[in-house]
Amino acid sequence: MRARTVVRGVGEVAADAPVATADDPGLRGDGFFETLLVRDGIVRLDAHLDRFERSAAAFGVRVDRREWAALAARLAADVPAGAEAVLRLTVARGGVEFATVRPLPAGVVRGRAGVRAITLARGTATVPDAPWLLAAAKTSSYAVNSAALREAARRGADDAVLVDADGFVLEAPTANVLWRRDGRWHTPPQAGRAVLPGTTLAAVAARVGVTEAPVRPGDLPGSEGVWLLSSLRGAAPVLTLDGRAVGTDAAATALLAAIALGTRDGSAGPAPGGTIAG
Ligand code: PLP
C-alpha cells in the first residue's frame, strides 16, 4: 500500500515531506491526535471521532467532524482489502493539522501473538479535575509513553504496565489493561486517574461487560488472562509480567481480537453492557 499525507489547508504532499514549521506548537507536544486501524475499512471511526472532538474541546478548539471523516475516508480508500494500515489524525493547537496513512508496522502484528511486559512506576495516583490537565484527551505529549516503552525494551520486555504511586495498575503506555478472573472481565478504574478512555476497551465492554476494579500487578499472574487493548494491536495477550507467567486463554484472545479488530464475528451478537461506556 502507498503511504500518504494530507495537510489541511495545503492538500496532499509527499509522504516523506516535512509538514511543520520550526515554530509549530505540535513540536512541543501542544496538540492531540487519533490513531485508527484500517482493516477492510476504518475500524470504529465514530468512536475515534468522538474522542477527537473531546480532545479538541479540552484544547479549546473545534474540529470539523465531517471534514475529518471525509479526509479519513479518502486516505483509507486505497488501502487494499485484506491489508492493514495505520491512519493518524493530528492537530497541533494553532499549528499544523494533518492526516497520514501508513502500512501497519510488523511489530504491531507480532504483538497480537503475545507480549512480555514489565511494571513501571507512573507516579501519580489521581489526576485533579482541572481543565488544564487535559484528562481523557489524547494529547501529542507522548514523550513519557515512548520513554516507558524504551525502558521496557532496555529491560528485555515488549511492553510496560504502568502503576500509580499506591502500586495499582493504571494502563500501558499505548493500551488499556484488561484481565479476566472467575470468568468476568475487569479493567482498572478510570475516573480521575491517568488512564486514557480507550475506544477498544469501550468496544469490548459493550460486548462482554467489563467491571472496573483496582488491581496490583502481583495479582495479575493469578488471573485467567491479561490483555493490552488498543486500536492497532486489538487485544495482545500478556504472556509474562515481570518475568512471571500469566495465564492465557486462546479462545478468549480470539474473541477479544474479533471484537477489537472489528471483524464480523466480533461485531455480531448480544451486548450485555458493562460499567465502561460502550
Ligand atoms: N491508553 C493510552 C495511553 C493510549 O495511547 C492508547 C492508544 O493509543 C490507549 C490507551 C488505547 O486506546 P484505543 O483503544 O482507543 O486505541
Side-chain angles (χ1 to χ4, degrees):
M1 61 151 291
R2 190 161 67 93
R4 297 176 64 188
T5 300
V6 174
V7 181
R8 292 192 71 233
V10 174
E12 182 149 7
V13 298
D16 58 355
V19 297
T21 63
D23 294 323
D24 196 279
L27 296 178
R28 296 187 295 278
D30 194 0
F32 53 95
F33 71 109
E34 281 298 319
T35 300
L36 305 87
L37 178 67
V38 183
R39 180 181 158 109
D40 296 328
I42 303 171
V43 179
R44 285 187 289 282
L45 176 62
D46 272 336
H48 282 282
L49 289 175
D50 286 349
R51 190 171 60 194
F52 199 49
E53 286 184 325
R54 285 199 302 273
S55 294
F59 277 78
V61 299
R62 254 200 83 249
V63 288
D64 187 320
R65 186 180 179 110
R66 284 175 56 178
E67 276 185 27
W68 281 99
L71 181 51
R74 182 175 144 202
L75 286 179
D78 63 3
V79 177
E84 291 184 286
V86 183
L87 178 66
R88 212 162 255 134
L89 315 178
T90 304
V91 172
R93 195 182 184 290
V96 68
E97 301 186 4
F98 59 94
T100 58
V101 68
R102 300 283 186 266
L104 191 70
V108 170
V109 178
R110 277 197 302 275
R112 290 175 183 163
V115 293
R116 296 158 303 152
I118 57 166
T119 53
L120 291 178
R122 171 72 171 72
T124 41
T126 55
V127 181
D129 184 17
W132 58 90
L133 295 175
L134 303 172
K138 191 166 163 73
T139 78
S140 303
S141 313
Y142 258 51
V144 168
N145 309 51
S146 303
L149 288 176
R150 283 199 303 279
E151 179 64 18
R154 197 184 66 78
R155 298 192 200 178
D158 306 308
D159 217 313
V161 167
L162 303 171
V163 296
D164 69 20
D166 298 320
F168 289 100
V169 172
L170 290 164
E171 61 176 352
T174 64
N176 291 110
V177 176
L178 178 82
W179 71 97
R180 203 179 62 172
R181 191 181 296 280
D182 301 328
R184 302 170 79 104
W185 306 89
H186 303 279
T187 197
Q190 294 192 347
R193 300 173 90 235
V195 178
L196 184 77
T199 57
T200 315
L201 174 62
V204 167
R207 271 297 310 279
V208 299
V210 174
T211 306
E212 290 187 345
V215 72
R216 293 180 190 274
D219 296 328
L220 286 176
S223 60
E224 295 144 16
V226 180
W227 293 266
L228 302 186
L229 301 182
S230 66
S231 297
L232 299 186
R233 274 182 302 185
V238 176
L239 306 177
T240 62
L241 185 58
D242 293 327
R244 289 173 64 192
V246 175
T248 53
D249 178 335
T253 298
L255 170 70
L256 292 173
I259 299 169
L261 300 177
T263 56
R264 188 166 295 128
D265 282 354
S267 52
T275 58
I276 307 287

